[in-house]
Amino acid sequence: MGVIYKNDNWHIDYRLPNGKRRREKIGPSKKLAENVLRKRKVEIAEGKFLDIEKNEKVKFEDFAEEYLNVHSKPNKKSWITDHYHIEDLKKTFKGRYLYTITTSDIEKLKVERLKNVAPATINRQMSLLRGMLNKAIAWDKLHENPMKNVQFLKEPAGRVRFLEREEIIKLLSNCSKKLRPIIVLALFTGFRRGEIFNLKWRDIDFRRNIITLLDTKNGEKREVPMNEQVKTALIRVRKHPESEYIFCGQDGKPCHDIRKSFFTLLNKSGIKDFRFHDLRHTFASHLVMSGVDLNTVRELMGHKDMTMTLRYSHLAQSHKQRAVDLLGRKMDTFWTLNQKTETSEKIEISKPIEKQMVT
């Protein structure tokens, strides 16, 4: 511990009772810095260090709830994903005070989670945890983020899992009456889960067969045509008398959690290694395999640029073959004329040779 002069100001450096290092900026006066440092030593020795007392009162699960309600829900369209990750994190950190969570604890969590889930899932949880602890610092509930020295895991190339035709038939045939329209929309519109749950009746134009999305991930309005399957599925949805949402609970609030019923559906259909978001991949993959150009797929998916859409390009080998065949047909006339010219030239060239050979 000591006083340090840096950037025209004096700082004090000391360690807290939990072993963590703490540095405070005091100001241009060295004498004041020395006095504050002596005061901190006394507070630590007498167990009266107020910041530590405050940190000790903040348990992980209490702060997680505050983070979800005060920050995540008001600011994130995908807050429900934060909720799921937080529930997983609670299994490790429930009952722990924020200041007692160490870098070592987080590294051990990574190793343990890697036994059951993919690196991408772990990285999403680590990213959330880092954001939570940074927010704890901003809200004066923590002084140092143990995530700052934690490295993220390497992720394999992007995963594209989609259903084959037979799997789609199985999935739809096993759907419950309540779940079926949600699955149909995901399969035939490519909507994200949140986009489906936030749909309101006013967003549906049955006359023009158009669904308008106003609240999208990239913040831009998107219009997607309905086919007959989607239109029929929506017509069959029973309207809640007091709710504007298409898919809602008895209280009229939009649905958020169908994981249990969706996993039951997958098990009943014998479909493995599949997530709800993969229904969106299924929509895009079958469009591409049917010959739809990638830019149209981009527009229907709501991608801002082609970067995300290109992940489906490997499924579009047929359109490359069609392009080459089209070029071949257009060049047929030239090719035929060229072949005739070459044949004629060969005959003209060969005549003198034949005469010479006869001579």
Side-chain angles (χ1 to χ4, degrees):
M1 295 189 292
V3 293
I4 302 168
Y5 187 71
K6 184 178 180 181
N7 297 330
D8 299 325
N9 282 291
W10 287 94
H11 301 73
I12 60 173
D13 191 290
Y14 55 93
R15 289 194 179 277
L16 303 175
N18 60 12
K20 289 189 176 182
R21 187 176 175 182
R22 174 84 182 276
R23 179 175 290 186
E24 292 182 48
K25 176 182 173 182
I26 303 303
S29 171
K30 181 179 180 181
K31 185 176 182 180
L32 177 60
E34 290 173 339
N35 288 336
V36 173
L37 180 59
R38 280 193 291 269
K39 181 180 178 181
R40 293 287 183 266
K41 288 180 180 180
V42 172
E43 289 173 339
I44 291 171
E46 295 179 352
K48 297 179 179 179
F49 195 71
L50 298 179
D51 285 346
I52 291 298
E53 290 181 2
K54 181 169 61 177
N55 283 340
E56 286 176 345
K57 295 177 182 177
V58 183
K59 290 187 176 180
F60 178 83
E61 61 270 26
D62 296 331
F63 178 74
E65 194 68 22
E66 182 180 1
Y67 175 87
L68 195 64
N69 292 322
V70 177
H71 175 73
S72 191
K73 286 184 180 181
N75 298 300
K76 296 183 179 182
K77 292 184 176 69
S78 58
W79 68 266
I80 192 66
T81 303
D82 285 359
H83 166 73
Y84 293 140
H85 286 322
I86 284 173
E87 290 303 308
D88 282 335
L89 291 170
K90 281 182 183 179
K91 296 174 184 177
T92 300
F93 298 123
K94 187 175 182 179
R96 296 277 299 274
Y97 297 113
L98 291 182
Y99 82 90
T100 67
I101 298 174
T102 65
T103 301
S104 177
D105 293 330
I106 298 169
E107 293 288 2
K108 289 176 182 177
L109 172 62
K110 280 169 51 183
V111 173
E112 191 62 29
R113 292 285 287 150
L114 199 54
K115 296 176 183 178
N116 301 308
V117 298
T121 301
I122 297 172
N123 285 343
R124 301 297 87 75
Q125 288 189 354
M126 293 299 101
S127 179
L128 173 63
L129 182 59
R130 180 175 61 185
M132 289 175 63
L133 297 178
N134 279 336
K135 192 60 68 175
I137 293 172
W139 292 348
D140 294 324
K141 299 176 184 295
L142 192 66
H143 292 299
E144 188 176 3
N145 193 337
M147 275 293 302
K148 68 180 181 181
N149 294 318
V150 175
Q151 292 186 347
F152 283 53
L153 298 170
K154 290 184 178 180
E155 298 181 25
R159 171 187 185 275
V160 177
R161 165 75 164 99
F162 63 90
L163 295 177
E164 299 290 351
R165 182 175 178 276
E166 294 75 15
E167 291 178 307
I168 294 174
I169 294 172
K170 283 182 182 179
L171 194 73
L172 291 175
S173 63
N174 288 311
C175 276
S176 64
K177 186 177 180 180
K178 185 177 181 180
L179 191 58
R180 182 182 176 85
I182 296 174
I183 300 300
V184 169
L185 251 76
L187 278 172
F188 293 104
T189 65
F191 289 170
R192 299 175 178 90
R193 180 176 58 189
E195 291 172 341
I196 293 175
F197 291 159
N198 287 324
L199 274 178
K200 299 173 183 177
W201 287 111
R202 68 186 182 206
D203 301 327
I204 312 300
D205 187 336
F206 286 109
R207 184 177 59 82
R208 296 193 303 136
N209 290 333
I210 294 290
I211 300 177
T212 302
L213 294 180
L214 300 174
D215 189 18
T216 63
K217 185 177 180 180
N218 61 23
E220 296 179 356
K221 185 180 80 169
R222 184 160 100 250
E223 290 189 343
V224 177
M226 289 188 289
N227 60 18
E228 284 303 314
Q229 289 90 337
V230 172
K231 188 174 182 178
T232 301
L234 288 174
I235 289 174
R236 290 177 178 174
V237 175
R238 180 176 294 180
K239 292 185 179 181
H240 190 288
E242 298 177 0
S243 179
E244 59 184 341
Y245 292 98
I246 298 175
F247 304 109
C248 58
Q250 293 181 352
D251 58 1
K253 294 181 179 179
C255 294
H256 287 300
D257 188 2
I258 59 167
R259 287 204 301 178
K260 186 175 179 180
S261 56
F262 184 64
F263 288 146
T264 300
L265 171 62
L266 293 179
N267 290 332
K268 193 174 180 180
S269 305
I271 297 173
K272 298 180 180 180
D273 186 32
F274 197 79
R275 310 163 304 177
F276 187 90
H277 192 75
D278 292 329
L279 294 171
R280 180 170 161 84
H281 292 322
T282 299
F283 170 75
S285 298
H286 280 276
L287 283 177
V288 173
M289 290 188 293
S290 298
V292 178
D293 65 277
L294 291 177
N295 190 56
T296 299
V297 175
R298 178 192 66 79
E299 292 177 354
L300 290 170
M301 295 287 281
H303 294 154
K304 275 198 168 184
D305 54 52
M306 290 292 289
T307 305
M308 291 298 292
T309 317
L310 286 173
R311 68 194 306 190
Y312 306 105
S313 61
H314 69 285
L315 300 170
Q317 296 302 318
S318 59
H319 85 272
K320 295 178 184 178
Q321 183 65 52
R322 284 196 301 274
V324 174
D325 291 343
L326 177 62
L327 176 63
R329 287 194 296 274
K330 286 191 174 183
M331 299 293 280
D332 270 348
T333 303
F334 170 79
W335 177 258
T336 303
L337 291 174
N338 187 54
Q339 285 290 88
K340 289 180 179 179
T341 302
E342 284 186 357
T343 303
S344 175
E345 288 176 350
K346 286 179 181 178
I347 293 173
E348 292 298 321
I349 292 172
S350 64
K351 280 183 179 179
I353 297 175
E354 290 174 358
K355 287 182 180 179
Q356 189 176 4
M357 288 178 65
V358 172
T359 306

